[in-house]
Protein backbone atom coordinates (compact mmCIF):
# COMPACT_ATOMS: atom_id res chain seq x y z
CA UNK A 1 0.00 0.00 0.00
CA UNK A 2 0.98 3.63 -0.25
CA UNK A 3 0.88 6.17 2.57
CA UNK A 4 -0.55 9.63 2.02
CA UNK A 5 3.06 10.87 2.01
CA UNK A 6 3.56 8.96 -1.24
CA UNK A 7 5.91 6.48 0.40
CA UNK A 8 5.41 2.74 0.31
CA UNK A 9 3.89 1.39 3.50
CA UNK A 10 5.37 -1.75 4.99
CA UNK A 11 2.89 -3.57 7.21
CA UNK A 12 5.80 -4.71 9.38
CA UNK A 13 5.60 -1.22 10.91
CA UNK A 14 2.57 -2.59 12.79
CA UNK A 15 4.36 -5.69 14.14
CA UNK A 16 4.32 -5.72 17.93
CA UNK A 17 1.89 -2.80 18.05
CA UNK A 18 -1.73 -2.54 19.09
CA UNK A 19 -3.52 -0.83 16.24
CA UNK A 20 -6.88 0.51 15.21
CA UNK A 21 -8.05 0.59 11.60
CA UNK A 22 -10.96 2.25 9.88
CA UNK A 23 -12.08 2.38 6.26
CA UNK A 24 -12.98 5.77 4.82
CA UNK A 25 -12.97 7.78 1.61
CA UNK A 26 -12.26 11.45 1.12
CA UNK A 27 -15.37 12.49 -0.81
CA UNK A 28 -17.73 10.62 1.50
CA UNK A 29 -20.98 12.54 1.97
CA UNK A 30 -21.83 10.81 5.22
CA UNK A 31 -19.97 9.22 8.11
CA UNK A 32 -16.31 9.37 7.00
CA UNK A 33 -15.60 12.92 8.20
CA UNK A 34 -17.18 12.04 11.56
CA UNK A 35 -15.14 8.83 11.79
CA UNK A 36 -11.95 10.70 10.93
CA UNK A 37 -12.68 13.29 13.62
CA UNK A 38 -13.16 10.47 16.10
CA UNK A 39 -9.90 8.88 15.00
CA UNK A 40 -8.18 12.22 15.62
CA UNK A 41 -9.64 12.35 19.15
CA UNK A 42 -8.43 8.79 19.66
CA UNK A 43 -4.98 9.78 18.43
CA UNK A 44 -4.82 12.54 21.04
CA UNK A 45 -5.75 10.03 23.77
CA UNK A 46 -3.01 7.54 22.78
CA UNK A 47 -0.36 10.03 21.66
CA UNK A 48 2.06 9.00 24.41
CA UNK A 49 1.65 5.30 23.73
CA UNK A 50 4.54 4.35 21.45
CA UNK A 51 3.10 0.86 20.96
CA UNK A 52 -0.21 2.06 19.48
CA UNK A 53 -0.84 2.87 15.82
CA UNK A 54 -3.87 4.15 13.94
CA UNK A 55 -4.54 3.34 10.29
CA UNK A 56 -7.15 4.85 7.98
CA UNK A 57 -7.56 3.02 4.68
CA UNK A 58 -9.28 4.61 1.70
CA UNK A 59 -11.94 2.43 0.07
CA UNK A 60 -11.83 4.64 -3.03
CA UNK A 61 -8.31 4.16 -4.40
CA UNK A 62 -9.34 5.37 -7.87
CA UNK A 63 -10.03 8.86 -6.47
CA UNK A 64 -7.95 8.92 -3.29
CA UNK A 65 -4.44 9.35 -4.59
CA UNK A 66 -1.76 9.92 -1.95
CA UNK A 67 -2.02 13.69 -2.52
CA UNK A 68 -5.83 13.73 -2.15
CA UNK A 69 -5.58 11.51 0.92
CA UNK A 70 -2.86 13.72 2.42
CA UNK A 71 -4.97 16.86 1.99
CA UNK A 72 -7.91 15.09 3.64
CA UNK A 73 -5.70 13.85 6.49
CA UNK A 74 -4.40 17.34 7.20
CA UNK A 75 -7.95 18.69 7.51
CA UNK A 76 -8.46 16.28 10.40
CA UNK A 77 -5.15 16.57 12.24
CA UNK A 78 -3.29 13.77 10.48
CA UNK A 79 -1.18 12.15 9.33
CA UNK A 80 1.29 11.69 12.17
CA UNK A 81 3.93 9.26 13.36
CA UNK A 82 1.12 7.27 14.96
CA UNK A 83 -1.65 7.76 12.40
CA UNK A 84 -1.18 6.60 8.82
CA UNK A 85 -3.56 7.13 5.89
CA UNK A 86 -3.27 4.46 3.20
CA UNK A 87 -4.38 3.83 -0.34
CA UNK A 88 -3.64 0.93 -2.64
CA UNK A 89 -4.89 -1.01 -5.58
CA UNK A 90 -8.61 -1.83 -5.66
CA UNK A 91 -7.73 -5.52 -5.23
CA UNK A 92 -5.62 -4.85 -2.14
CA UNK A 93 -8.23 -2.59 -0.57
CA UNK A 94 -10.93 -5.17 -1.28
CA UNK A 95 -8.80 -7.90 0.29
CA UNK A 96 -8.37 -5.84 3.46
CA UNK A 97 -11.92 -4.55 3.76
CA UNK A 98 -13.89 -7.57 2.63
CA UNK A 99 -11.77 -10.63 3.24
CA UNK A 100 -9.54 -9.64 6.16
CA UNK A 101 -11.61 -7.24 8.28
CA UNK A 102 -15.09 -8.19 6.98
CA UNK A 103 -16.26 -4.59 7.01
CA UNK A 104 -17.68 -4.17 3.53
CA UNK A 105 -17.48 -4.89 -0.15
CA UNK A 106 -15.75 -2.04 -1.93
CA UNK A 107 -15.65 -3.45 -5.46
CA UNK A 108 -17.79 -1.11 -7.57
CA UNK A 109 -19.44 0.51 -4.55
CA UNK A 110 -18.57 2.40 -1.42
CA UNK A 111 -20.18 -0.03 0.99
CA UNK A 112 -18.05 0.04 4.11
CA UNK A 113 -18.42 -0.21 7.85
CA UNK A 114 -18.49 2.74 10.23
CA UNK A 115 -16.72 0.68 12.88
CA UNK A 116 -13.17 0.81 14.11
CA UNK A 117 -11.37 -2.54 14.29
CA UNK A 118 -8.87 -3.25 17.05
CA UNK A 119 -5.86 -5.47 16.32
CA UNK A 120 -3.52 -6.90 18.95
CA UNK A 121 0.28 -7.03 18.92
CA UNK A 122 0.22 -10.38 17.12
CA UNK A 123 -2.01 -9.12 14.32
CA UNK A 124 -5.25 -10.71 15.54
CA UNK A 125 -8.49 -8.78 15.22
CA UNK A 126 -9.79 -8.39 18.77
CA UNK A 127 -12.93 -6.32 18.35
CA UNK A 128 -15.09 -3.89 16.44
CA UNK A 129 -16.32 -0.61 17.89
CA UNK A 130 -19.22 1.44 16.64
CA UNK A 131 -18.47 5.06 15.88
CA UNK A 132 -22.15 5.83 16.48
CA UNK A 133 -22.38 4.24 19.94
CA UNK A 134 -21.44 6.76 22.58
CA UNK A 135 -19.78 4.03 24.66
CA UNK A 136 -17.83 2.71 21.67
CA UNK A 137 -14.83 4.99 22.09
CA UNK A 138 -14.53 4.48 25.85
CA UNK A 139 -14.72 0.70 25.34
CA UNK A 140 -12.09 0.93 22.61
CA UNK A 141 -9.73 2.92 24.84
CA UNK A 142 -10.19 0.43 27.68
CA UNK A 143 -9.46 -2.49 25.36
CA UNK A 144 -6.42 -0.76 23.84
CA UNK A 145 -4.99 -0.37 27.36
CA UNK A 146 -5.71 -4.03 28.17
CA UNK A 147 -3.98 -5.22 24.99
CA UNK A 148 -1.00 -2.94 25.60
CA UNK A 149 -0.57 -4.46 29.04
CA UNK A 150 -1.06 -8.05 27.89
CA UNK A 151 2.07 -10.13 27.58
CA UNK A 152 3.15 -10.51 23.99
Amino acid sequence: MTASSGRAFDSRALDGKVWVVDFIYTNCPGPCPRMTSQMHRLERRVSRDSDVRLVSVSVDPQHDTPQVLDEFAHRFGGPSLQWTFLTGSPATVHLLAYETFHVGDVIGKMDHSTKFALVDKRGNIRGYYSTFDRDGMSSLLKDIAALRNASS
Side-chain angles (χ1 to χ4, degrees):
M1 298 197 80
T2 304
S4 61
S5 65
R7 293 189 177 118
F9 178 78
D10 187 337
S11 63
R12 289 180 292 196
L14 301 172
D15 289 349
K17 310 284 188 214
V18 173
W19 51 287
V20 178
V21 62
D22 70 345
F23 293 84
I24 52 100
Y25 61 105
T26 63
N27 59 351
C28 175
C32 297
R34 181 178 186 278
M35 292 169 61
T36 306
S37 291
Q38 286 180 311
M39 190 70 92
H40 178 59
R41 285 194 294 280
L42 179 61
E43 179 200 26
R44 288 186 292 194
R45 296 288 301 270
V46 300
S47 64
R48 295 182 183 183
D49 302 334
S50 62
D51 57 347
V52 177
R53 294 292 181 268
L54 307 175
V55 179
S56 293
V57 178
S58 170
V59 297
D60 186 9
Q62 302 291 9
H63 175 267
D64 290 343
T65 63
Q67 180 180 352
V68 169
L69 200 52
D70 198 55
E71 290 169 8
F72 178 82
H74 278 89
R75 286 199 311 263
F76 291 94
S80 68
L81 292 175
Q82 253 180 318
W83 187 13
T84 304
F85 288 74
L86 297 175
T87 188
S89 71
T92 299
V93 172
H94 179 74
L95 175 72
L96 280 174
Y98 188 70
E99 296 181 28
T100 303
F101 286 96
H102 311 288
V103 294
D105 183 359
V106 299
I107 298 281
K109 54 189 165 205
M110 294 299 126
D111 178 22
H112 67 95
S113 174
T114 59
K115 294 182 179 181
F116 291 167
L118 177 62
V119 180
D120 68 18
K121 294 177 183 181
R122 292 183 176 179
N124 300 307
I125 300 168
R126 298 298 294 266
Y128 294 91
Y129 302 81
S130 173
T131 58
F132 287 96
D133 175 4
R134 66 171 145 158
D135 296 326
M137 294 308 285
S138 59
S139 294
L140 175 57
L141 283 163
K142 183 181 91 181
D143 291 348
I144 287 170
L147 289 176
R148 288 183 65 232
N149 293 325
S151 43
S152 302

